[in-house]
Amino acid sequence: MSDKAKKLRLGILISGRGSNLIAIANNIRAGTLPGVEIAIVISNTASACGLAVTRELGLPGEVFVSKGRPRAEHDADVAACLRRHNVDLVVLAGYMRLLSPEFIHAFPNRIVNIHPSLLPAFPGIDAQHQAFDYGVKVTGCTVHFVDEHLDHGPIILQRAIPVLDTDDADSLSARILKEEHKAYSEAIARIASGDYEFQGRRYVRRKA
Ligand code: GRF
């Protein structure tokens, strides 16, 4: 991923509204996420609002309905589509489907996810509500590589958000989402730069 002449081709997987997809696409267009292009957007539901957005943005999109299909079989279709589009990095953006081990092993350290809490706190669904109900004073979002365990892989970056006394779970979620829209592009830029490396679980800037 360090070949500066070649753009990093993203395959973005969605299930819903697609606001992170929009933020990434806008940053690419604005030139603030250089060296990156969206090769394909894939949804696992035909009704995802993010599909309409994909069309409006003029991006290629495909649907592979997952409901009722064995996970490995559905994932094999998605993986084949990603390969057809020469995808370098799989970007989960509100993809509400667990990935099979086969899929994860097919793209080692090449799948990223954004999670709306400071992992390892509050993995799983409704992380913003979990954090709010727990009463933490700081939460945030985490961009991480995906491994076989839920919300667990090496962290690329995190952004902290204070929880205000005046917050409810919705106002807190809205502030986290706003930060997500910046954080995801920054994390992708780190990967595209080729300037970062793994030291065990740590993903850190290479020494000059
Ligand atoms: C975001 O909150 C993200 O952290 C979580 O799913 C949500 C997706 O939102 N993984 P959107 O579809 O990108 O608007």
Side-chain angles (χ1 to χ4, degrees):
M1 292 183 200
S2 57
D3 181 354
K4 308 261 181 195
K6 184 188 171 296
K7 286 195 172 177
L8 185 77
R9 289 175 63 77
L10 309 183
I12 303 190
L13 272 50
I14 62 167
S15 301
R17 71 188 157 187
S19 72
N20 277 289
L21 158 67
I22 296 171
I24 292 166
N26 285 343
N27 283 329
I28 292 173
R29 282 193 178 179
T32 50
L33 186 45
V36 173
E37 62 190 351
I38 298 175
I40 183 73
V41 177
I42 297 176
S43 174
N44 69 319
T45 64
S47 58
C49 297
L51 281 172
V53 169
T54 302
R55 281 191 292 275
E56 279 161 26
L57 291 168
L59 295 169
E62 294 217 25
V63 181
F64 295 94
V65 175
S66 58
K67 198 168 180 202
R69 292 191 72 197
R71 192 178 308 285
E73 187 187 296
H74 172 261
D75 282 2
D77 286 348
V78 174
C81 179
L82 292 167
R83 287 202 193 91
R84 275 200 300 280
H85 287 86
N86 298 313
V87 163
D88 301 304
L89 186 70
V90 182
V91 177
L92 308 183
Y95 191 62
M96 301 303 286
R97 172 106 172 153
L98 290 175
L99 297 169
S100 59
E102 293 85 352
F103 186 95
I104 292 166
H105 294 147
F107 299 95
N109 289 332
R110 293 199 294 135
I111 310 173
V112 293
N113 182 42
I114 188 157
H115 183 77
S117 76
L118 293 176
L119 290 171
F122 311 117
I125 58 165
D126 263 342
Q128 308 94 323
H129 287 76
Q130 290 186 53
F132 182 79
D133 291 343
Y134 193 92
V136 296
K137 301 299 184 193
V138 178
T139 183
C141 61
T142 303
V143 186
H144 64 95
F145 290 101
V146 171
D147 67 11
E148 315 83 72
H149 307 288
L150 181 69
D151 299 329
H152 172 269
I155 291 170
I156 303 162
L157 68 73
Q158 294 185 299
R159 291 287 177 261
I161 296 284
V163 184
L164 309 176
D165 290 349
T166 49
D167 266 327
D168 57 25
D170 289 341
S171 63
L172 178 61
S173 300
R175 283 211 314 290
I176 295 173
L177 188 64
K178 210 168 159 197
E179 197 60 35
E180 286 184 37
H181 294 161
K182 291 183 260 174
Y184 220 169
S185 291
E186 284 177 38
I188 292 167
R190 284 187 186 183
I191 295 169
S193 74
D195 293 340
Y196 284 72
E197 65 181 7
F198 288 98
Q199 289 177 8
R201 266 192 66 91
R202 302 178 69 238
Y203 190 66
V204 294
R205 190 183 278 278
R206 265 180 232 281
K207 290 203 179 81

